[in-house]
Amino acid sequence: MRIALLAVLACFAASPMVVAAKGTMTIVHTDGDTNVYNDVAISVIHGALYMQSADAKGTMVIHRAACSYQEKIMVCLLTSATLIQGGETSALDFRRGTVYVNGTGDYQPLALSTTKVAPHSILLTFQTEKGTYVTLRGRIDKVVD
Amino acid sequence: MRYLCIAMALLFALQPAVASAQRGGRGGGGGARGGGGGARPSGGGMSARPSGGARPSGGNSGGFNMGGDRVSRPSGGSMNGGNRGSMNGGSRGNAPVSGNGNRGNAPVSGNGNRGNGNGNVGNGNRGNGNNNGSNNRNNGNRNTNINNNNVNVNRNAYINNPVYGGGGAWGWNHGAAWYPASGYWGGGFWGAMAIGVTSAAVYGSIVGANNVTYNSYQVAPSTPGATFLSNYQLVQVQCGPPNLVVVYGPENSVICANPNNLVQAGNYNLDTQTLSLAPI
């Protein structure tokens, strides 16, 4: 009985690892209003980064370029952001941004920072012309070359 | 025995309680997930935000609260391309491209006529010489030409990257191709400075052909540009003074550095594929 109980507990302890495969997006507006979105699905498809909300009603598409390596971290500058939502595809008034990709199986530190990027995860931040900051941190769920 | 029975009874009584507590825990987990959903509706709080009102219909029903950051023109799809096109066209199409060529060509042809020709006469350096040389030979300026030739021979030498020279294409970038990002000065090679950004440190300027002035900016650490400088042990300085190493990089960018034992003063084009220097 107790063995069964332990097995169930172990199962619950292990299950959050599956949930952790999703990302968390934070949007900070110029007026200080902040939105946090958990369980954002992160996919890299044909070089573009797709971030889909948990309710699947919004998808943000990011295009990157000028990718180079800082030690084992790949750093890319972002060139545009598009929002697919409510049946519309709209360009965001993108200003600038950077994405850090850790394709290794270990935690990797960012250059000149104490921040570490988790294995097979990304850290992304960009700013719109209006001044809204978007950050995303999480594990890449799917890669399609 | 009575105590044993009581203990047994307590044990059995507790067992289901523990189990139910676990089930309760599961329920709690579900609650947490529900809470996550709750956070999103708080994004729905965006509907209370002033900007939220400007969002298109359907935006409040879910997804991301970015309605206020959309490009404010009709039909986003075509507009998206329009924006990018105009930005790229602006930077690439500007005089920089033709200016670059003018900048490079002027000094090369100028020196070439004098130097190369002289080299053919004085040093018999046929490999580097050209038709201009035979013309100069008739001028009889041999001594002067020989000196000039020495300078030109050095300038004509392609300088392989001291660190990644034998690494093949993109060896400096783990073998991954690097291509410029539009909207950033130098395509992002020197850092994430957006074109036209005023917060970046200006590091002097170069006046090219047609009196076009090109600003130079401070190279950011941990960038391909910083790797390049490190490979050649170059230290960036402000552009403007004479006798500097002037390096023309991607997207009409330029930086300057003091010459050293690896790189003489002069104008160079940077090959981003190999991080090597080609004299202009």
Side-chain angles (χ1 to χ4, degrees):
Chain A
M1 182 70 174
R2 292 191 178 178
I3 292 174
L5 190 63
L6 283 173
V8 172
L9 282 173
C11 181
F12 281 121
S15 59
M17 291 173 67
V18 177
V19 175
K22 304 282 185 176
T24 299
M25 179 183 289
T26 304
I27 299 175
V28 181
H29 301 271
T30 51
D31 60 3
D33 194 5
T34 301
N35 303 125
V36 178
Y37 301 91
N38 295 311
D39 296 344
V40 173
I42 304 170
S43 306
V44 178
I45 302 173
H46 302 315
L49 182 65
Y50 287 73
M51 299 166 286
Q52 189 177 54
S53 61
D55 59 11
K57 292 185 176 178
T59 301
M60 222 177 276
V61 186
I62 300 288
H63 291 93
R64 66 188 189 185
C67 297
S68 61
Y69 280 85
Q70 292 178 1
E71 299 295 335
K72 294 180 179 177
I73 294 271
M74 186 171 72
V75 183
C76 300
L77 302 179
L78 306 181
T79 56
S80 68
T82 304
L83 181 66
I84 305 170
Q85 190 164 291
E88 293 182 6
T89 299
S90 311
L92 294 177
D93 214 356
F94 180 84
R95 186 178 184 194
R96 57 189 289 195
T98 311
V99 60
Y100 302 87
V101 182
N102 177 12
T104 75
D106 302 310
Y107 278 85
Q108 299 294 342
L110 294 183
L112 307 174
S113 171
T114 56
T115 302
K116 290 187 176 182
V117 184
H120 305 292
S121 296
I122 69 168
L123 176 60
L124 169 148
T125 180
F126 74 85
Q127 185 187 23
T128 66
E129 288 291 350
K130 190 180 173 185
T132 302
Y133 279 96
V134 178
T135 61
L136 174 78
R137 182 190 285 265
R139 191 178 173 94
I140 300 170
D141 297 302
K142 185 171 69 173
V143 176
V144 177
D145 290 328
Chain B
M1 186 63 180
R2 182 175 297 171
Y3 291 117
L4 182 63
C5 287
I6 291 172
M8 290 290 286
L10 275 173
L11 187 64
F12 281 118
L14 277 174
Q15 203 77 297
V18 171
S20 65
Q22 289 304 321
R23 283 192 292 273
R26 285 173 69 185
R33 284 190 290 274
R40 257 167 267 122
S42 89
M46 73 190 164
S47 57
R49 294 180 66 244
S51 61
R55 293 183 59 201
S57 63
N60 291 343
S61 59
F64 299 115
N65 182 12
M66 292 291 289
D69 294 280
R70 289 176 174 173
V71 176
S72 54
R73 282 186 230 167
S75 82
S78 61
M79 202 189 330
N80 192 4
N83 273 347
R84 265 184 264 125
S86 65
M87 267 177 95
N88 293 341
S91 59
R92 287 201 208 110
N94 270 342
V97 169
S98 60
N100 231 344
N102 288 337
R103 266 186 271 127
N105 288 336
V108 167
S109 61
N111 289 333
N113 285 335
R114 277 181 264 122
N116 288 334
N118 298 328
N120 287 337
V121 174
N123 292 334
N125 196 357
R126 291 176 190 171
N128 290 330
N130 53 34
N131 289 336
N132 294 331
S134 59
N135 294 334
N136 285 339
R137 203 183 298 170
N138 295 330
N139 292 335
N141 296 325
R142 292 188 178 184
N143 291 333
T144 304
N145 291 339
I146 287 171
N147 290 333
N148 285 339
N149 176 65
N150 289 338
V151 172
N152 284 334
V153 166
N154 289 332
R155 282 187 176 175
N156 285 338
Y158 190 92
I159 308 177
N160 285 322
N161 187 288
V163 177
Y164 299 103
W170 311 113
W172 63 272
N173 198 28
H174 293 205
W178 182 94
Y179 56 96
S182 60
Y184 296 87
W185 180 71
F189 187 85
W190 312 104
M193 286 86 76
I195 289 177
V197 70
T198 54
S199 59
V202 175
Y203 248 47
S205 60
I206 291 288
V207 179
N210 304 323
N211 288 326
V212 177
T213 300
Y214 302 91
N215 281 336
S216 182
Y217 297 91
Q218 188 171 15
V219 178
S222 299
T223 60
T227 301
F228 155 75
L229 288 174
S230 170
N231 289 166
Y232 286 89
Q233 301 168 31
L234 291 170
V235 177
Q236 187 188 13
V237 296
Q238 298 237 2
C239 290
N243 300 320
L244 293 178
V245 174
V246 180
V247 179
Y248 293 96
E251 304 280 300
N252 312 303
S253 59
V254 61
I255 66 150
C256 298
N258 282 323
N260 61 16
N261 59 327
L262 295 174
V263 190
Q264 289 189 19
N267 296 331
Y268 299 87
N269 275 327
L270 175 60
D271 183 341
T272 55
Q273 188 164 319
T274 59
L275 284 194
S276 296
L277 288 174
I280 296 175

